mmCIF file of all heavy atoms in Angstrom:
data_model
loop_
_atom_site.group_PDB
_atom_site.id
_atom_site.type_symbol
_atom_site.label_atom_id
_atom_site.label_comp_id
_atom_site.label_asym_id
_atom_site.label_seq_id
_atom_site.Cartn_x
_atom_site.Cartn_y
_atom_site.Cartn_z
ATOM 1 N N SER A 1 0.823 -1.214 0.000
ATOM 2 C CA SER A 1 0.000 0.000 0.000
ATOM 3 C C SER A 1 0.855 1.261 0.000
ATOM 4 O O SER A 1 1.458 1.610 1.013
ATOM 5 C CB SER A 1 -0.918 0.014 1.232
ATOM 6 O OG SER A 1 -1.588 1.242 1.355
ATOM 7 N N ASP A 2 0.880 1.948 -1.136
ATOM 8 C CA ASP A 2 1.581 3.232 -1.191
ATOM 9 C C ASP A 2 0.901 4.254 -0.285
ATOM 10 O O ASP A 2 1.563 5.127 0.286
ATOM 11 C CB ASP A 2 1.591 3.760 -2.631
ATOM 12 C CG ASP A 2 2.526 2.957 -3.538
ATOM 13 O OD1 ASP A 2 3.441 2.317 -2.998
ATOM 14 O OD2 ASP A 2 2.330 2.973 -4.757
ATOM 15 N N ASP A 3 -0.422 4.148 -0.165
ATOM 16 C CA ASP A 3 -1.173 5.105 0.651
ATOM 17 C C ASP A 3 -0.714 5.122 2.103
ATOM 18 O O ASP A 3 -0.666 6.180 2.744
ATOM 19 C CB ASP A 3 -2.674 4.766 0.620
ATOM 20 C CG ASP A 3 -3.347 5.245 -0.656
ATOM 21 O OD1 ASP A 3 -2.708 6.013 -1.398
ATOM 22 O OD2 ASP A 3 -4.502 4.859 -0.906
ATOM 23 N N TYR A 4 -0.392 3.945 2.621
ATOM 24 C CA TYR A 4 -0.089 3.847 4.053
ATOM 25 C C TYR A 4 1.363 3.487 4.347
ATOM 26 O O TYR A 4 1.716 3.194 5.489
ATOM 27 C CB TYR A 4 -1.017 2.808 4.705
ATOM 28 C CG TYR A 4 -2.483 3.086 4.490
ATOM 29 C CD1 TYR A 4 -3.335 2.112 3.982
ATOM 30 C CD2 TYR A 4 -3.017 4.336 4.773
ATOM 31 C CE1 TYR A 4 -4.685 2.362 3.776
ATOM 32 C CE2 TYR A 4 -4.362 4.607 4.573
ATOM 33 C CZ TYR A 4 -5.191 3.615 4.068
ATOM 34 O OH TYR A 4 -6.527 3.887 3.862
ATOM 35 N N ALA A 5 2.203 3.521 3.323
ATOM 36 C CA ALA A 5 3.600 3.114 3.510
ATOM 37 C C ALA A 5 4.284 3.946 4.589
ATOM 38 O O ALA A 5 4.953 3.407 5.488
ATOM 39 C CB ALA A 5 4.359 3.227 2.189
ATOM 40 N N ALA A 6 4.114 5.263 4.536
ATOM 41 C CA ALA A 6 4.760 6.136 5.525
ATOM 42 C C ALA A 6 4.234 5.846 6.933
ATOM 43 O O ALA A 6 4.990 5.867 7.910
ATOM 44 C CB ALA A 6 4.523 7.602 5.178
ATOM 45 N N LEU A 7 2.935 5.570 7.031
ATOM 46 C CA LEU A 7 2.340 5.271 8.337
ATOM 47 C C LEU A 7 2.883 3.951 8.893
ATOM 48 O O LEU A 7 3.224 3.863 10.082
ATOM 49 C CB LEU A 7 0.818 5.198 8.212
ATOM 50 C CG LEU A 7 0.051 4.838 9.492
ATOM 51 C CD1 LEU A 7 0.318 5.857 10.584
ATOM 52 C CD2 LEU A 7 -1.449 4.743 9.206
ATOM 53 N N PHE A 8 2.982 2.939 8.057
ATOM 54 C CA PHE A 8 3.516 1.650 8.514
ATOM 55 C C PHE A 8 4.971 1.789 8.965
ATOM 56 O O PHE A 8 5.386 1.192 9.971
ATOM 57 C CB PHE A 8 3.407 0.598 7.413
ATOM 58 C CG PHE A 8 1.997 0.094 7.184
ATOM 59 C CD1 PHE A 8 1.442 0.063 5.918
ATOM 60 C CD2 PHE A 8 1.227 -0.352 8.254
ATOM 61 C CE1 PHE A 8 0.159 -0.389 5.707
ATOM 62 C CE2 PHE A 8 -0.064 -0.816 8.052
ATOM 63 C CZ PHE A 8 -0.611 -0.832 6.769
ATOM 64 N N GLU A 9 5.738 2.571 8.232
ATOM 65 C CA GLU A 9 7.141 2.785 8.617
ATOM 66 C C GLU A 9 7.237 3.519 9.959
ATOM 67 O O GLU A 9 8.114 3.236 10.776
ATOM 68 C CB GLU A 9 7.856 3.561 7.514
ATOM 69 C CG GLU A 9 8.067 2.743 6.238
ATOM 70 C CD GLU A 9 8.450 3.589 5.038
ATOM 71 O OE1 GLU A 9 8.700 4.803 5.237
ATOM 72 O OE2 GLU A 9 8.482 3.060 3.913
ATOM 73 N N LYS A 10 6.326 4.461 10.176
ATOM 74 C CA LYS A 10 6.303 5.181 11.452
ATOM 75 C C LYS A 10 5.940 4.244 12.600
ATOM 76 O O LYS A 10 6.518 4.321 13.691
ATOM 77 C CB LYS A 10 5.291 6.331 11.384
ATOM 78 C CG LYS A 10 5.258 7.179 12.642
ATOM 79 C CD LYS A 10 4.297 8.352 12.489
ATOM 80 C CE LYS A 10 4.297 9.196 13.751
ATOM 81 N NZ LYS A 10 3.348 10.342 13.659
ATOM 82 N N ILE A 11 5.000 3.344 12.359
ATOM 83 C CA ILE A 11 4.608 2.377 13.393
ATOM 84 C C ILE A 11 5.789 1.495 13.769
ATOM 85 O O ILE A 11 6.004 1.193 14.955
ATOM 86 C CB ILE A 11 3.419 1.523 12.898
ATOM 87 C CG1 ILE A 11 2.154 2.384 12.797
ATOM 88 C CG2 ILE A 11 3.165 0.337 13.840
ATOM 89 C CD1 ILE A 11 1.000 1.708 12.111
ATOM 90 N N ILE A 12 6.581 1.118 12.760
ATOM 91 C CA ILE A 12 7.777 0.310 13.041
ATOM 92 C C ILE A 12 8.741 1.075 13.943
ATOM 93 O O ILE A 12 9.276 0.524 14.912
ATOM 94 C CB ILE A 12 8.467 -0.103 11.712
ATOM 95 C CG1 ILE A 12 7.589 -1.101 10.940
ATOM 96 C CG2 ILE A 12 9.836 -0.715 12.001
ATOM 97 C CD1 ILE A 12 8.094 -1.409 9.539
ATOM 98 N N ARG A 13 8.940 2.367 13.645
ATOM 99 C CA ARG A 13 9.861 3.189 14.455
ATOM 100 C C ARG A 13 9.361 3.341 15.891
ATOM 101 O O ARG A 13 10.157 3.382 16.837
ATOM 102 C CB ARG A 13 10.032 4.578 13.829
ATOM 103 C CG ARG A 13 10.828 4.615 12.553
ATOM 104 C CD ARG A 13 11.287 6.026 12.221
ATOM 105 N NE ARG A 13 10.189 6.974 12.111
ATOM 106 C CZ ARG A 13 9.475 7.181 10.996
ATOM 107 N NH1 ARG A 13 9.752 6.477 9.910
ATOM 108 N NH2 ARG A 13 8.514 8.078 10.973
ATOM 109 N N GLU A 14 8.047 3.446 16.056
ATOM 110 C CA GLU A 14 7.481 3.709 17.383
ATOM 111 C C GLU A 14 7.115 2.441 18.146
ATOM 112 O O GLU A 14 6.655 2.517 19.279
ATOM 113 C CB GLU A 14 6.246 4.606 17.245
ATOM 114 C CG GLU A 14 6.577 5.991 16.710
ATOM 115 C CD GLU A 14 5.366 6.902 16.613
ATOM 116 O OE1 GLU A 14 4.245 6.425 16.900
ATOM 117 O OE2 GLU A 14 5.532 8.082 16.244
ATOM 118 N N LYS A 15 7.327 1.306 17.537
ATOM 119 C CA LYS A 15 6.978 0.023 18.164
ATOM 120 C C LYS A 15 7.519 -0.129 19.594
ATOM 121 O O LYS A 15 6.796 -0.545 20.500
ATOM 122 C CB LYS A 15 7.513 -1.122 17.290
ATOM 123 C CG LYS A 15 6.470 -2.139 16.847
ATOM 124 C CD LYS A 15 7.148 -3.197 15.974
ATOM 125 C CE LYS A 15 6.199 -4.290 15.558
ATOM 126 N NZ LYS A 15 5.609 -5.036 16.650
ATOM 127 N N PRO A 16 8.798 0.238 19.818
ATOM 128 C CA PRO A 16 9.348 0.038 21.166
ATOM 129 C C PRO A 16 8.658 0.874 22.247
ATOM 130 O O PRO A 16 8.810 0.585 23.436
ATOM 131 C CB PRO A 16 10.819 0.468 21.008
ATOM 132 C CG PRO A 16 11.104 0.383 19.552
ATOM 133 C CD PRO A 16 9.826 0.730 18.881
ATOM 134 N N TYR A 17 7.916 1.884 21.836
ATOM 135 C CA TYR A 17 7.324 2.803 22.817
ATOM 136 C C TYR A 17 5.809 2.628 22.960
ATOM 137 O O TYR A 17 5.164 3.379 23.674
ATOM 138 C CB TYR A 17 7.632 4.253 22.409
ATOM 139 C CG TYR A 17 9.096 4.489 22.162
ATOM 140 C CD1 TYR A 17 9.610 4.601 20.878
ATOM 141 C CD2 TYR A 17 9.995 4.556 23.223
ATOM 142 C CE1 TYR A 17 10.965 4.796 20.649
ATOM 143 C CE2 TYR A 17 11.349 4.747 23.009
ATOM 144 C CZ TYR A 17 11.834 4.861 21.721
ATOM 145 O OH TYR A 17 13.177 5.052 21.504
ATOM 146 N N GLN A 18 5.271 1.629 22.270
ATOM 147 C CA GLN A 18 3.834 1.374 22.357
ATOM 148 C C GLN A 18 3.531 0.616 23.646
ATOM 149 O O GLN A 18 4.261 -0.298 24.040
ATOM 150 C CB GLN A 18 3.368 0.557 21.144
ATOM 151 C CG GLN A 18 1.871 0.453 20.987
ATOM 152 C CD GLN A 18 1.233 1.717 20.440
ATOM 153 O OE1 GLN A 18 1.945 2.650 20.092
ATOM 154 N NE2 GLN A 18 -0.081 1.755 20.373
ATOM 155 N N LEU A 19 2.441 0.980 24.314
ATOM 156 C CA LEU A 19 2.057 0.356 25.579
ATOM 157 C C LEU A 19 1.002 -0.723 25.358
ATOM 158 O O LEU A 19 0.518 -0.916 24.238
ATOM 159 C CB LEU A 19 1.530 1.426 26.545
ATOM 160 C CG LEU A 19 2.520 2.563 26.848
ATOM 161 C CD1 LEU A 19 1.845 3.661 27.659
ATOM 162 C CD2 LEU A 19 3.738 2.031 27.591
ATOM 163 N N HIS A 20 0.653 -1.420 26.431
ATOM 164 C CA HIS A 20 -0.384 -2.452 26.362
ATOM 165 C C HIS A 20 -1.670 -1.845 25.806
ATOM 166 O O HIS A 20 -2.008 -0.690 26.123
ATOM 167 C CB HIS A 20 -0.623 -3.029 27.765
ATOM 168 C CG HIS A 20 -1.548 -4.202 27.783
ATOM 169 N ND1 HIS A 20 -2.920 -4.061 27.756
ATOM 170 C CD2 HIS A 20 -1.298 -5.538 27.831
ATOM 171 C CE1 HIS A 20 -3.481 -5.256 27.777
ATOM 172 N NE2 HIS A 20 -2.518 -6.168 27.826
ATOM 173 N N PRO A 21 -2.423 -2.577 24.989
ATOM 174 C CA PRO A 21 -3.650 -2.039 24.386
ATOM 175 C C PRO A 21 -4.602 -1.378 25.376
ATOM 176 O O PRO A 21 -5.204 -0.338 25.076
ATOM 177 C CB PRO A 21 -4.281 -3.266 23.730
ATOM 178 C CG PRO A 21 -3.120 -4.133 23.377
ATOM 179 C CD PRO A 21 -2.130 -3.932 24.484
ATOM 180 N N GLU A 22 -4.748 -1.969 26.567
ATOM 181 C CA GLU A 22 -5.671 -1.381 27.543
ATOM 182 C C GLU A 22 -5.142 -0.056 28.076
ATOM 183 O O GLU A 22 -5.914 0.868 28.376
ATOM 184 C CB GLU A 22 -5.917 -2.358 28.702
ATOM 185 C CG GLU A 22 -6.800 -3.540 28.339
ATOM 186 C CD GLU A 22 -8.159 -3.096 27.803
ATOM 187 O OE1 GLU A 22 -8.792 -2.217 28.425
ATOM 188 O OE2 GLU A 22 -8.574 -3.603 26.744
ATOM 189 N N VAL A 23 -3.820 0.051 28.186
ATOM 190 C CA VAL A 23 -3.228 1.319 28.624
ATOM 191 C C VAL A 23 -3.407 2.373 27.539
ATOM 192 O O VAL A 23 -3.752 3.533 27.823
ATOM 193 C CB VAL A 23 -1.733 1.142 28.962
ATOM 194 C CG1 VAL A 23 -1.119 2.482 29.383
ATOM 195 C CG2 VAL A 23 -1.551 0.108 30.065
ATOM 196 N N GLU A 24 -3.198 1.971 26.276
ATOM 197 C CA GLU A 24 -3.393 2.900 25.169
ATOM 198 C C GLU A 24 -4.846 3.373 25.124
ATOM 199 O O GLU A 24 -5.126 4.544 24.863
ATOM 200 C CB GLU A 24 -3.021 2.240 23.836
ATOM 201 C CG GLU A 24 -1.544 1.931 23.670
ATOM 202 C CD GLU A 24 -0.693 3.185 23.498
ATOM 203 O OE1 GLU A 24 -1.263 4.296 23.335
ATOM 204 O OE2 GLU A 24 0.546 3.073 23.535
ATOM 205 N N LYS A 25 -5.767 2.477 25.399
ATOM 206 C CA LYS A 25 -7.197 2.831 25.407
ATOM 207 C C LYS A 25 -7.481 3.842 26.513
ATOM 208 O O LYS A 25 -8.228 4.811 26.317
ATOM 209 C CB LYS A 25 -8.034 1.570 25.611
ATOM 210 C CG LYS A 25 -9.542 1.820 25.599
ATOM 211 C CD LYS A 25 -10.312 0.515 25.760
ATOM 212 C CE LYS A 25 -11.817 0.781 25.750
ATOM 213 N NZ LYS A 25 -12.601 -0.481 25.912
ATOM 214 N N THR A 26 -6.882 3.639 27.663
ATOM 215 C CA THR A 26 -7.085 4.560 28.790
ATOM 216 C C THR A 26 -6.507 5.935 28.476
ATOM 217 O O THR A 26 -7.142 6.969 28.733
ATOM 218 C CB THR A 26 -6.423 3.997 30.061
ATOM 219 O OG1 THR A 26 -6.993 2.716 30.350
ATOM 220 C CG2 THR A 26 -6.636 4.933 31.233
ATOM 221 N N LEU A 27 -5.302 5.962 27.912
ATOM 222 C CA LEU A 27 -4.688 7.235 27.560
ATOM 223 C C LEU A 27 -5.524 7.982 26.521
ATOM 224 O O LEU A 27 -5.681 9.211 26.585
ATOM 225 C CB LEU A 27 -3.272 7.020 27.024
ATOM 226 C CG LEU A 27 -2.219 6.578 28.047
ATOM 227 C CD1 LEU A 27 -0.899 6.273 27.352
ATOM 228 C CD2 LEU A 27 -2.016 7.643 29.122
ATOM 229 N N ALA A 28 -6.074 7.240 25.567
ATOM 230 C CA ALA A 28 -6.929 7.862 24.547
ATOM 231 C C ALA A 28 -8.187 8.444 25.177
ATOM 232 O O ALA A 28 -8.646 9.528 24.794
ATOM 233 C CB ALA A 28 -7.289 6.840 23.470
ATOM 234 N N ALA A 29 -8.747 7.727 26.152
ATOM 235 C CA ALA A 29 -9.950 8.218 26.828
ATOM 236 C C ALA A 29 -9.675 9.500 27.600
ATOM 237 O O ALA A 29 -10.568 10.331 27.803
ATOM 238 C CB ALA A 29 -10.485 7.150 27.777
ATOM 239 N N LEU A 30 -8.429 9.676 28.017
ATOM 240 C CA LEU A 30 -8.050 10.868 28.787
ATOM 241 C C LEU A 30 -7.539 12.009 27.902
ATOM 242 O O LEU A 30 -7.109 13.043 28.418
ATOM 243 C CB LEU A 30 -6.959 10.504 29.801
ATOM 244 C CG LEU A 30 -7.401 9.609 30.969
ATOM 245 C CD1 LEU A 30 -6.179 9.114 31.725
ATOM 246 C CD2 LEU A 30 -8.351 10.369 31.892
ATOM 247 N N SER A 31 -7.600 11.845 26.582
ATOM 248 C CA SER A 31 -7.012 12.832 25.672
ATOM 249 C C SER A 31 -7.632 14.217 25.845
ATOM 250 O O SER A 31 -6.935 15.239 25.743
ATOM 251 C CB SER A 31 -7.152 12.382 24.214
ATOM 252 O OG SER A 31 -8.520 12.181 23.881
ATOM 253 N N SER A 32 -8.921 14.274 26.110
ATOM 254 C CA SER A 32 -9.561 15.571 26.329
ATOM 255 C C SER A 32 -9.002 16.239 27.585
ATOM 256 O O SER A 32 -8.761 17.453 27.605
ATOM 257 C CB SER A 32 -11.072 15.407 26.455
ATOM 258 O OG SER A 32 -11.698 16.638 26.694
ATOM 259 N N SER A 33 -8.777 15.443 28.625
ATOM 260 C CA SER A 33 -8.207 15.987 29.862
ATOM 261 C C SER A 33 -6.787 16.486 29.630
ATOM 262 O O SER A 33 -6.359 17.484 30.228
ATOM 263 C CB SER A 33 -8.203 14.912 30.959
ATOM 264 O OG SER A 33 -9.519 14.494 31.248
ATOM 265 N N PHE A 34 -6.039 15.804 28.761
ATOM 266 C CA PHE A 34 -4.679 16.232 28.466
ATOM 267 C C PHE A 34 -4.650 17.599 27.775
ATOM 268 O O PHE A 34 -3.625 18.285 27.801
ATOM 269 C CB PHE A 34 -3.969 15.207 27.579
ATOM 270 C CG PHE A 34 -3.670 13.902 28.281
ATOM 271 C CD1 PHE A 34 -3.483 12.730 27.562
ATOM 272 C CD2 PHE A 34 -3.589 13.846 29.661
ATOM 273 C CE1 PHE A 34 -3.199 11.531 28.210
ATOM 274 C CE2 PHE A 34 -3.316 12.657 30.317
ATOM 275 C CZ PHE A 34 -3.120 11.499 29.590
ATOM 276 N N GLN A 35 -5.761 17.980 27.147
ATOM 277 C CA GLN A 35 -5.841 19.286 26.489
ATOM 278 C C GLN A 35 -6.277 20.386 27.449
ATOM 279 O O GLN A 35 -6.301 21.567 27.084
ATOM 280 C CB GLN A 35 -6.832 19.220 25.319
ATOM 281 C CG GLN A 35 -6.379 18.365 24.159
ATOM 282 C CD GLN A 35 -5.082 18.865 23.555
ATOM 283 O OE1 GLN A 35 -4.929 20.055 23.291
ATOM 284 N NE2 GLN A 35 -4.135 17.962 23.325
ATOM 285 N N ALA A 36 -6.613 20.012 28.684
ATOM 286 C CA ALA A 36 -7.144 20.981 29.644
ATOM 287 C C ALA A 36 -6.189 22.145 29.929
ATOM 288 O O ALA A 36 -6.636 23.299 29.997
ATOM 289 C CB ALA A 36 -7.533 20.276 30.940
ATOM 290 N N PRO A 37 -4.888 21.916 30.108
ATOM 291 C CA PRO A 37 -4.002 23.064 30.359
ATOM 292 C C PRO A 37 -4.032 24.106 29.243
ATOM 293 O O PRO A 37 -4.054 25.312 29.523
ATOM 294 C CB PRO A 37 -2.618 22.412 30.490
ATOM 295 C CG PRO A 37 -2.905 21.034 30.970
ATOM 296 C CD PRO A 37 -4.166 20.636 30.256
ATOM 297 N N TYR A 38 -4.041 23.649 28.000
ATOM 298 C CA TYR A 38 -4.088 24.593 26.870
ATOM 299 C C TYR A 38 -5.395 25.375 26.880
ATOM 300 O O TYR A 38 -5.417 26.597 26.661
ATOM 301 C CB TYR A 38 -3.905 23.827 25.560
ATOM 302 C CG TYR A 38 -3.868 24.697 24.324
ATOM 303 C CD1 TYR A 38 -3.242 25.940 24.339
ATOM 304 C CD2 TYR A 38 -4.441 24.275 23.123
ATOM 305 C CE1 TYR A 38 -3.194 26.739 23.195
ATOM 306 C CE2 TYR A 38 -4.393 25.060 21.982
ATOM 307 C CZ TYR A 38 -3.780 26.288 22.028
ATOM 308 O OH TYR A 38 -3.738 27.083 20.900
ATOM 309 N N SER A 39 -6.508 24.689 27.141
ATOM 310 C CA SER A 39 -7.804 25.366 27.201
ATOM 311 C C SER A 39 -7.826 26.374 28.340
ATOM 312 O O SER A 39 -8.344 27.494 28.196
ATOM 313 C CB SER A 39 -8.933 24.343 27.384
ATOM 314 O OG SER A 39 -9.004 23.458 26.296
ATOM 315 N N LEU A 40 -7.265 25.986 29.476
ATOM 316 C CA LEU A 40 -7.227 26.882 30.626
ATOM 317 C C LEU A 40 -6.354 28.106 30.329
ATOM 318 O O LEU A 40 -6.715 29.242 30.685
ATOM 319 C CB LEU A 40 -6.698 26.137 31.855
ATOM 320 C CG LEU A 40 -6.544 26.951 33.149
ATOM 321 C CD1 LEU A 40 -7.869 27.565 33.559
ATOM 322 C CD2 LEU A 40 -5.999 26.055 34.267
ATOM 323 N N TYR A 41 -5.214 27.869 29.679
ATOM 324 C CA TYR A 41 -4.341 28.979 29.297
ATOM 325 C C TYR A 41 -5.089 29.985 28.426
ATOM 326 O O TYR A 41 -5.055 31.200 28.668
ATOM 327 C CB TYR A 41 -3.109 28.450 28.550
ATOM 328 C CG TYR A 41 -2.313 29.543 27.864
ATOM 329 C CD1 TYR A 41 -1.431 30.339 28.585
ATOM 330 C CD2 TYR A 41 -2.467 29.793 26.501
ATOM 331 C CE1 TYR A 41 -0.717 31.362 27.965
ATOM 332 C CE2 TYR A 41 -1.758 30.808 25.872
ATOM 333 C CZ TYR A 41 -0.890 31.589 26.606
ATOM 334 O OH TYR A 41 -0.190 32.598 25.989
ATOM 335 N N ASN A 42 -5.774 29.486 27.397
ATOM 336 C CA ASN A 42 -6.507 30.370 26.493
ATOM 337 C C ASN A 42 -7.632 31.117 27.192
ATOM 338 O O ASN A 42 -7.881 32.291 26.926
ATOM 339 C CB ASN A 42 -7.067 29.573 25.311
ATOM 340 C CG ASN A 42 -6.056 29.397 24.201
ATOM 341 O OD1 ASN A 42 -5.213 30.263 23.971
ATOM 342 N ND2 ASN A 42 -6.110 28.274 23.505
#
């Protein structure tokens, strides 16, 4: 897939830093909270 070649290569580079799926799910659920400092600043 030429469309996703760059994305697949990036996933390979970041593989060592990927966490357990459930941890990734939790971090994603908290993504709005992670934006709170920027919102508060503005």
Side-chain angles (χ1 to χ4, degrees):
S1 172
D2 288 338
D3 281 349
Y4 304 128
L7 178 60
F8 286 129
E9 290 165 8
K10 183 177 181 181
I11 291 170
I12 292 172
R13 289 196 303 274
E14 295 182 356
K15 236 179 177 300
Y17 308 104
Q18 191 76 5
L19 302 172
H20 187 279
E22 287 303 313
V23 179
E24 292 290 351
K25 181 178 180 180
T26 301
L27 289 174
L30 290 169
S31 58
S32 179
S33 299
F34 291 157
Q35 292 300 313
Y38 183 38
S39 298
L40 178 58
Y41 168 80
N42 276 328

